[in-house]
């Protein structure tokens, strides 16, 4: 016996080399299938079959070839740590078998190392090229059948690993038990574990080639995860849910066209509403309560802060670890399918926030996945986000691009969502984003544009629009990058819509001023119309504006209690009259005094008080008008849908404009008075003779106002005014907005 065998203390003669047995015992073999399972050998010049198994927890073990006792062959212990072997002299054919062990109780199971690979060479080719687009169907954990045996097929990409094992409760989290096979140079490891099923908890134990790395990783393609603070993946079948939203999906392209009303209610599921004891609602309870509430208020869509799995509540989901898993905080994947389905059945679209810009450095996640910078750049000037302490994806790597593209398509395909709002696009576009000189690396042309990320974004939009026509992609992009929402074939990034961060900034700055000073800031009201049609904009009052000391929307408003509510009513009316689709963060409709907190419910008790309840009623009425009046939504992205009547009256902080529909005679007159002074007999030009009915006045007493209205409306007078052929004489309400529509 050589020195290696002596060190191993082999107990019996074996057909395996001591070196390979040593690698199996140390969980360091790069190809366990070369040693374990059924093999054909020659012993003393005669053919034979051998079955080898590593069973570290077994006292005794057998090979079971059939139902009879004669078909049970003892496995001989070769090493005390659990390496076994059985010899079948003269056997030259592959035969099915099971293993039986006795470790204080008898267990019988199929040997994972007798099964062939599951992934096809074509799948591996597409994965390596970054052109699979449905890699979630192949990588991850899938309940399946191989050779008539049910089990779970596991597959993971870890090209710089020396060894990858599946670990879980089923093998006492022992990385020696179930090492995987690597599929050539692709870096994909796979293993079929017979007998496992849905509900199994698992991770991948990865031994790297470098620096003695040993990591325990959540499945990047896992469909379900343990509830935080636990982090393991859970085997889950996502293919059994029966959908009932066919009517919605058939109409989605029409409902989400650029000429339709899109009014979005932005929601953080964990803090919208909570149970009586402060716990979170589950997806199904949320579905019923949200569908009723959102429909009542007239919003067309909800947008969810990220529901993809994440470890830290305080990140609001923006530090994602599970790009294919709805968070288990609120239930199972099937529960989330029910959530989307139920909202669809009530005519409400569902948009998800999706975060391909960065990911957290948590040890169980994607960072240093196989001991190397696999998903992220190795150079911290490219791979580390300086503000958030997170990792930046390597958009130039084929497998990473496919991972992210597949994630996007996955939510549209398997969860029927209607759109993806892409977070932090600006940080993806610029190599010097939030970096000082010397802290970033220029592109090949010496510029600050991230060429790989730009190409990734363009392909993302092409794939999503191509595979799922009618769905929306929305960019949160805060810079002057051009053509964000223009097709890629004309040089754009390809998004459907873009958040108008400039409008939000200007409006909150303007409304934050005391009305006596607003005449000096009149340009903040009008500036957005200089660029309003350069992109397909969504006007947003988002969650970012009501946290971290920024105060709630109501608390931002100046003046006394009554004026604060009047200001907020005017802001909302101006939001819905301005060209662009609309978005309001939850709680804004209630008039929250407190900043938003992810750890507690909205202050629903505020609805016991008239001002808050009437503000909510105003939001519902504006949403109703927005949906009912084509002039308010049909032409949001062209100059022909908007016309200034007057924007020069800065001394009185009054503006007036027209919103126009597609037909020549369809228009709504909007007049805004952003001071607390009632203005009687104020002339406003209008294009037609006839009676102009007042369809909205934010100062109506039913909304909490003082009642300075124009009754049913005003008759147009013949005299031209402000470039219009006629005019009306109005009472302008204090801190109020008026909508007028000509009667036909």
């Amino acid at each position: 016996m050589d020195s290696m065998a002596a060190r191993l203390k082999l107990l019996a003669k074996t057909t395996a080399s001591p070196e390979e047995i040593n690698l199996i015992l140390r969980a360091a073999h790069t190809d366990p299938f070369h040693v374990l399972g059924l093999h054909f050998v020659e012993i003393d010049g005669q053919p034979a079959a051998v079955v080898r198994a590593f069973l570290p927890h077994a006292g005794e073990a057998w090979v079971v070839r059939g139902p009879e006792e004669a078909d049970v062959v003892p496995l001989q212990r070769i090493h005390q740590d659990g390496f076994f072997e059985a010899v079948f002299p003269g056997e030259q054919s592959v035969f099915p078998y099971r293993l039986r062990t006795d470790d204080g109780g008898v267990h019988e199971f199929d040997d994972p190392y007798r099964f062939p690979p599951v992934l096809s060479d074509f799948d591996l080719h597409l994965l390596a090229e970054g052109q699979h687009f449905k890699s979630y169907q192949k990588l991850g954990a899938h309940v399946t059948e191989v050779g008539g045996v049910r089990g779970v097929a596991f597959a993971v990409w870890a090209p710089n690993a020396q060894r990858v094992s599946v670990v879980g409760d089923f093998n006492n989290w022992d990385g020696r038990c179930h090492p995987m096979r690597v599929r050539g140079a692709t870096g994909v490891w796979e293993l079929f574990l017979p007998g496992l099923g849905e509900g199994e908890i698992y991770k991948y134990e990865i031994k790297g080639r470098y620096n003695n790395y040993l990591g325990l990783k959540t499945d990047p393609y896992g469909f379900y995860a343990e509830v935080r603070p636990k982090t393991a993946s859970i085997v889950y079948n996502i293919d059994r849910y029966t959908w009932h939203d066919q009517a919605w999906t058939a109409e989605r392209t029409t409902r989400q066209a650029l000429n339709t009303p899109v009014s979005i209610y932005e929601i953080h599921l964990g803090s919208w509403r909570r149970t009586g004891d402060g716990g979170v609602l589950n997806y199904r309870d949320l579905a019923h309560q949200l569908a009723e509430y959102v429909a009542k208020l007239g919003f067309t869509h909800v947008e969810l802060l990220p529901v993809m799995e994440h470890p830290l509540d305080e990140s609001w989901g923006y530090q994602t670890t599970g790009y294919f898993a709805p968070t288990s905080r609120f239930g199972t994947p099937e529960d989330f399918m029910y959530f989307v389905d139920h909202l669809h059945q009530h005519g409400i679209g569902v948009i998800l926030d999706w975060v391909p810009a960065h990911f957290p450095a948590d040890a169980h996640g994607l960072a240093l996945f196989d001991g190397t910078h696999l998903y992220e750049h190795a150079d911290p000037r490219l791979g580390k986000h300086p503000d958030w302490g997170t990792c930046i994806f390597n958009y130039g790597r084929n497998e990473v691009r496919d991972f992210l593209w597949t994630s996007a398509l996955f939510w549209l395909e398997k969860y029927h969502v209607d759109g993806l709002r892409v977070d932090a696009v600006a940080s993806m576009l610029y190599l010097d984003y939030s970096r000082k000189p010397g802290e970033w690396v220029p592109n090949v042309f010496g510029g600050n544009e991230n060429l790989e990320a730009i190409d990734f974004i363009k392909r993302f939009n092409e794939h999503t629009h191509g595979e799922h026509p009618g769905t929306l992609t929305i960019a949160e992009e805060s810079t002057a990058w051009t053509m964000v929402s223009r097709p890629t074939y004309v040089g754009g990034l390809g998004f459907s819509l873009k958040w108008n961060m400039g409008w939000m900034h200007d409006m909150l700055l303007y409304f934050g001023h005391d009305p006596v000073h607003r005449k000096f800031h009149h340009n903040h009201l009008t500036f957005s119309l200089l660029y309003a049609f350069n992109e397909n904009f969504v006007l947003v009052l988002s969650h970012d504006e009501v946290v971290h000391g920024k105060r709630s929307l109501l608390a931002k408003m100046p003046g006394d209690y009554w004026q604060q509510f009047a200001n907020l009513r005017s802001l909302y009316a101006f939001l819905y009259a301005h060209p662009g689709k609309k978005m309001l963060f939850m709680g804004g409709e209630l008039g929250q005094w407190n900043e938003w907190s992810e750890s507690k419910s909205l202050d629903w008790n505020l609805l016991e008080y008239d001002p808050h309840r009437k503000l909510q009623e105003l939001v519902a009425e504006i949403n109703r008008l927005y949906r009912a009046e084509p002039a308010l939504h049909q032409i949001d992205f062209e100059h022909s849908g908007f016309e200034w009547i007057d924007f020069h009256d800065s001394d009185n902080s009054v503006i007036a404009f027209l919103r126009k529909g597609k037909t020549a005679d369809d228009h709504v007159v909007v007049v805004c008075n952003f001071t607390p002074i009632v203005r009687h007999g104020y002339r406003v030009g209008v294009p037609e003779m006839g009676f102009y009915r007042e369809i909205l006045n934010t100062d109506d007493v039913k909304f909490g106002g003082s009642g300075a209205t124009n009754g049913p409306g005003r008759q147009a007078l013949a005299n031209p005014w402000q470039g219009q052929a006629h005019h009306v004489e109005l009472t302008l309400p204090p801190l109020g907005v008026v909508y007028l529509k000509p009667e036909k």
Side-chain angles (χ1 to χ4, degrees), residues 382-656:
L382 295 169
K384 290 291 183 183
H385 197 290
D387 291 341
W388 304 319
T390 50
C391 303
I392 299 172
F393 283 104
N394 182 349
Y395 303 107
R397 189 159 195 168
N398 287 343
E399 296 88 346
V400 174
R401 289 156 66 91
D402 186 80
F403 170 78
L404 290 171
W405 287 333
T406 296
S407 171
L409 295 171
F410 170 81
W411 295 100
L412 300 173
E413 178 177 333
K414 301 305 293 185
Y415 286 93
H416 290 206
V417 302
D418 305 292
L420 298 171
R421 176 265 196 185
V422 182
D423 182 64
V425 171
S427 73
M428 301 171 68
L429 295 175
Y430 298 97
L431 293 165
D432 60 346
Y433 183 87
S434 198
R435 297 179 190 273
K436 299 174 183 177
E439 296 179 349
W440 60 282
V441 181
N443 64 35
V444 294
F445 302 109
N448 68 340
E449 302 88 356
N450 189 332
L451 302 179
E452 293 174 342
I454 293 165
D455 181 70
F456 164 80
I457 290 169
K458 289 182 176 182
R459 302 292 87 78
F460 152 74
N461 280 306
E462 290 172 355
H463 296 321
T464 53
H465 294 317
E467 292 287 329
H468 299 279
T471 56
L472 299 173
T473 59
I474 306 171
E476 187 222 8
E477 204 285 313
S478 56
T479 74
W481 191 280
T482 59
M483 299 202 298
V484 171
S485 57
R486 296 294 180 260
T488 58
Y489 59 77
V490 298
L493 292 181
F495 286 98
S496 312
L497 300 165
K498 173 183 172 177
W499 273 21
N500 194 333
M501 312 288 278
W503 179 90
M504 177 174 66
H505 173 269
D506 287 351
M507 287 306 99
L508 296 180
L509 188 63
Y510 179 84
F511 275 86
H513 289 295
D514 189 285
V516 72
H517 300 302
R518 285 177 178 171
K519 63 182 179 181
F520 304 113
H521 304 278
H522 202 65
N523 60 305
H524 287 135
L525 279 178
T526 60
F527 180 68
S528 61
L529 272 304
L530 294 177
Y531 63 86
F533 310 108
N534 293 348
E535 300 279 1
N536 301 334
F537 282 120
V538 183
L539 307 179
V540 296
L541 293 171
S542 76
H543 66 278
D544 279 328
E545 302 310 308
V546 293
V547 289
H548 300 324
K550 296 179 182 178
R551 298 176 294 163
S552 70
L553 290 180
L554 183 59
K556 293 176 193 289
M557 300 295 113
D560 60 23
Y561 185 82
W562 186 91
Q563 288 180 343
Q564 286 181 291
F565 276 95
N567 272 304
L568 193 55
R569 292 193 299 268
S570 295
L571 173 59
Y572 291 165
F574 184 54
L575 161 70
Y576 276 80
H578 191 290
K581 306 310 178 187
K582 325 298 176 186
M583 194 194 79
L584 179 65
F585 182 57
M586 66 180 198
E589 80 283 5
L590 304 179
Q592 288 264 130
W593 289 110
N594 295 318
E595 281 191 338
W596 168 58
S597 169
E598 81 287 336
S599 63
K600 63 181 182 180
S601 173
L602 296 181
D603 296 327
W604 293 100
N605 61 300
L606 292 174
L607 293 177
E608 298 173 12
Y609 305 98
D610 276 353
H612 297 275
R613 186 173 62 254
K614 290 179 177 181
L615 178 67
Q616 185 191 56
E617 291 171 1
L618 172 79
V619 171
E621 177 61 14
I622 297 178
N623 266 321
R624 186 193 68 78
L625 285 171
Y626 171 63
R627 298 174 72 163
E629 297 296 335
L632 294 177
H633 64 251
Q634 271 189 343
I635 310 177
D636 270 327
F637 308 124
E638 299 175 19
H639 291 274
S640 59
F642 177 90
E643 181 182 341
W644 279 116
I645 296 174
D646 181 56
F647 58 84
H648 295 100
D649 193 1
S650 57
D651 283 345
N652 292 315
S653 298
V654 173
I655 58 172

Side-chain angles (χ1 to χ4, degrees), residues 131-319:
Q131 299 291 323
H132 201 291
F133 307 133
K134 292 186 183 294
S135 50
Y136 73 86
Q137 295 178 346
K138 304 299 179 179
L139 299 179
H142 299 272
V143 178
T144 188
E145 186 174 295
V146 178
V149 177
R150 296 286 291 177
V152 178
F154 297 90
V156 64
W157 178 57
N160 298 302
Q162 179 182 347
R163 184 263 303 167
V164 181
S165 297
V166 185
V167 295
D169 292 340
F170 49 86
N171 60 14
N172 298 311
W173 298 87
D174 189 338
R176 299 173 300 164
C177 293
H178 292 121
M180 307 172 80
R181 60 156 49 99
V182 65
R183 297 297 302 277
T186 65
V188 174
W189 299 74
E190 68 165 317
L191 184 66
F192 174 69
L193 288 184
L196 296 190
E198 191 171 12
E200 292 287 354
I201 297 171
Y202 71 99
K203 282 188 176 182
Y204 297 114
E205 184 180 275
I206 301 176
K207 181 177 177 61
R209 294 182 182 275
Y210 312 108
N211 302 319
N212 297 314
Y213 175 82
L214 187 66
L216 197 59
K217 295 291 188 177
T218 301
D219 190 346
Y221 284 85
F223 295 146
Y224 189 35
E226 291 183 296
V227 178
R228 57 155 182 17
K230 296 181 178 180
T231 58
S233 300
I234 302 174
V235 177
Y236 199 91
N237 178 10
I238 61 170
D239 294 322
R240 62 168 172 258
Y241 183 78
T242 301
W243 289 87
H244 302 91
D245 63 348
Q246 292 79 9
W248 167 268
T249 54
E251 298 175 357
R252 179 165 55 196
T253 300
T254 302
R255 286 175 177 262
Q256 299 191 156
L258 297 181
N259 63 352
T260 60
V262 174
S263 176
I264 303 167
Y265 187 60
E266 189 187 27
I267 304 170
H268 177 257
L269 290 182
S271 58
W272 177 69
R273 183 175 285 163
R274 293 207 166 193
T275 62
D277 60 359
V280 297
L281 298 172
N282 62 44
Y283 288 122
R284 292 178 185 255
D285 288 338
L286 283 163
H288 288 271
Q289 295 185 32
L290 262 176
E292 179 182 359
Y293 184 76
V294 171
K296 175 184 175 183
L297 265 62
F299 290 97
T300 64
H301 291 71
V302 296
E303 180 181 317
L304 309 183
L305 272 63
V307 297
M308 295 79 178
E309 194 57 79
H310 53 282
L312 184 66
D313 289 0
E314 289 79 5
S315 79
W316 313 333
Y318 289 103
Q319 295 197 8

Side-chain angles (χ1 to χ4, degrees), residues 27-70:
H29 206 298
T30 58
D31 183 12
F33 279 81
H34 183 70
V35 181
L36 303 176
L38 176 65
H39 296 270
F40 297 101
V41 298
E42 281 194 4
I43 300 176
D44 297 330
Q46 299 298 315
V50 294
V51 172
R52 307 189 194 104
F54 180 55
L55 305 167
H57 306 292
E60 296 181 88
W62 299 265
V63 175
V64 181
R65 297 184 64 179
E68 304 297 330
E69 196 61 32

